[in-house]
Amino acid sequence: MPDAEDVRRIALSLPDTAEKIAWNMPTFRVAGKMFATLPEDETSIAVRCPKEERDELVLAEPEKFWVADHEAQFTWIRVRLATLEDEAELRDILADSWRQAAPPRLLDHHPELGSAAGD
C-alpha cells in the first residue's frame, strides 16, 4: 500500500514539480500550479480530476474516491491511499493530475507522460 512518502517521492519525480506548504499541508505544484495535496492525516491525497470523470469514479469506486464538501465546486477528487493497488496506480493518478496542471511547453517536452485529459 502506498503511503505519504511514496506520494512525495513520485510527485517530486514529475518534471518541474515543487513541494510547498499551504493550509498546513504539503502541496505539489507544476510550474507553480497545484496538482496534488497531502492532507494532514496523510491517509489520502487530493488531485485534479474533471468533474464528469470525478462523478463516474466516485460512483464506481466509493471506497477509493470521494469529493470533500469544500472541493465540490472545483475539479478535485480525494483518493484513499489504503485502497490503491500499488505504486503504479498512485503514479498514474499523480501523473494524470500533473498533466492537467502542466503548461503546454512541459507536456510537449515530456510525451512519455501522455497528454492532458480531454485532449
Side-chain angles (χ1 to χ4, degrees), residues 1-115:
M1 165 183 78
D3 62 19
E5 286 309 310
D6 296 321
V7 171
R8 180 171 280 109
R9 179 177 45 78
I10 293 168
L12 291 173
S13 74
L14 296 168
D16 203 16
T17 294
E19 182 175 347
K20 179 179 178 182
I21 299 297
W23 308 287
N24 296 317
M25 70 178 130
T27 66
F28 301 92
R29 298 162 189 256
V30 55
K33 194 170 181 184
M34 192 165 42
F35 71 91
T37 68
L38 184 61
E40 56 279 347
D41 69 359
E42 298 187 342
T43 62
S44 67
I45 57 173
V47 293
R48 291 176 173 268
C49 184
K51 286 185 181 180
E52 316 78 55
E53 292 177 29
R54 179 182 78 178
D55 296 343
E56 290 175 18
L57 287 169
V58 171
L59 285 172
E61 298 183 84
E63 70 288 348
K64 185 179 290 188
F65 301 103
W66 88 99
V67 177
D69 291 340
H70 67 280
E71 295 167 342
Q73 65 188 10
F74 304 105
T75 56
W76 289 86
I77 193 168
R78 298 287 179 111
V79 184
R80 290 178 180 89
L81 294 175
T83 64
L84 297 179
E85 293 177 27
D86 52 26
E87 281 190 29
E89 186 177 17
L90 174 60
R91 184 176 293 108
D92 288 346
I93 290 168
L94 287 169
D96 184 57
S97 187
W98 179 91
R99 285 190 298 273
Q100 292 175 61
R105 67 175 171 78
L106 280 176
L107 294 173
D108 291 346
H109 284 95
H110 297 282
E112 73 280 6
L113 292 172
S115 60

